[in-house]
Structures are given as structure tokens and as C-alpha cells.
């Protein structure tokens, strides 16, 4: 295939070395819609359902608290239901607060070993306005995911 026809597209099937690449082997051009971001969220066994999460599932991202912290919860920008943006000032997120609904699981890897034990990493597609907050809280071990029902 010509490089221009292949660049930016993901494989739609498992590619086997030495086989000829056909148009049916390729998915659409990769990329995110405007206003969307990908964020990696580290999930221990206590921060996800027992069977984990799988690609394509819709999840809500919940504030789980900051491990080892006895102080008040960190201040984070407000995140309305659905993860939209808000022009209001910061709010205090409390454990159990839903930070983003309708996030799509794009990929899952792991488990990997961390200083806190074993964790998998879920890549979530979320509104760009909440991605920095989710990334920060994930790094602190302060997030959990809840699988949402299908409509």
C-alpha cells in the first residue's frame, strides 16, 4: 500500500508478518474529535470491578480519596455530570464524587507492578476539560471506575 493510504490508520485485524495488506485490514483514520482527550488511569483491584474493564465499555470515573491522607480532599476544578466544562471556580471533590460520566474505555493493559502493588492501566476517552484532573488524581491513586449500564 502507498504510505499515504496507510499512515494514521489503525489495523482492523491482527497483522501477520509477511502477508499482503489489503484495505479491509485497515480501520478509519485514527484521531480524536475536537474537545476530547485520552487519559491513562491506573487501576488497582480495589479501584475497578472484579472482572476489570474492557475496550468499548462506558465508565464513570469516581473520586476515591487520597491514600494515606488524613487531610481534606484536594481542590479540583468543577466537573459537571457528563464531564463538561464549567466556568465556576474550584470545588472540593469528596470521595464518591463522580468526576466524569460516559468515559469510553479505549484500551486496557496490565497488570503491572507498582510500588503500591499490581495495577492495570485503562486508557479512557474523556472530555478534554477533565483530562488534567483525572490524570493528576490517577497519579495520586485517588480514582476508581464504575462500569455504566447500556441504554
Amino acid at each position: 500500500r502507498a504510505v499515504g493510504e496507510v499512515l494514521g490508520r489503525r489495523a482492523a485485524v491482527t497483522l501477520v508478518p509477511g502477508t499482503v495488506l489489503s484495505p479491509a485490514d485497515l480501520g478509519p483514520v485514527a484521531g480524536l474529535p475536537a474537545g476530547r482527550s485520552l487519559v491513562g488511569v491506573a487501576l488497582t483491584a480495589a479501584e475497578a470491578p472484579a472482572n476489570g474493564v474492557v475496550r468499548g465499555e462506558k465508565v464513570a470515573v469516581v473520586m476515591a480519596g487520597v491514600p494515606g491522607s488524613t487531610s481534606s480532599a484536594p481542590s479540583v476544578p468543577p466537573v459537571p455530570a457528563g464531564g463538561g466544562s464549567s466556568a465556576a471556580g474550584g470545588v472540593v471533590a469528596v470521595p464518591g464524587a463522580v468526576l466524569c460520566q460516559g468515559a469510553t474505555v479505549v484500551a486496557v493493559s496490565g497488570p503491572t507492578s507498582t510500588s503500591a502493588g499490581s495495577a492495570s492501566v485503562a486508557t479512557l476517552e474523556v472530555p478534554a476539560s477533565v483530562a488534567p484532573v483525572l490524570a493528576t488524581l490517577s497519579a495520586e491513586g485517588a480514582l476508581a471506575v464504575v462500569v455504566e449500564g447500556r441504554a
Side-chain angles (χ1 to χ4, degrees), residues 53-144:
V53 294
V54 296
R55 186 174 187 255
E57 279 186 313
K58 295 288 185 183
V59 297
V61 184
V62 178
M63 176 80 177
V66 180
S69 173
T70 57
S71 63
S72 62
S75 178
V76 298
V79 182
S85 61
S86 172
V91 296
V92 175
V94 295
V98 176
L99 301 173
C100 180
Q101 290 179 304
T104 303
V105 178
V106 176
V108 181
S109 65
T112 59
S113 294
T114 67
S115 60
S118 178
S120 60
V121 176
T123 300
L124 306 177
E125 182 182 325
V126 299
S129 60
V130 301
V133 171
L134 299 183
T136 300
L137 292 175
S138 175
E140 295 174 2
L143 293 181

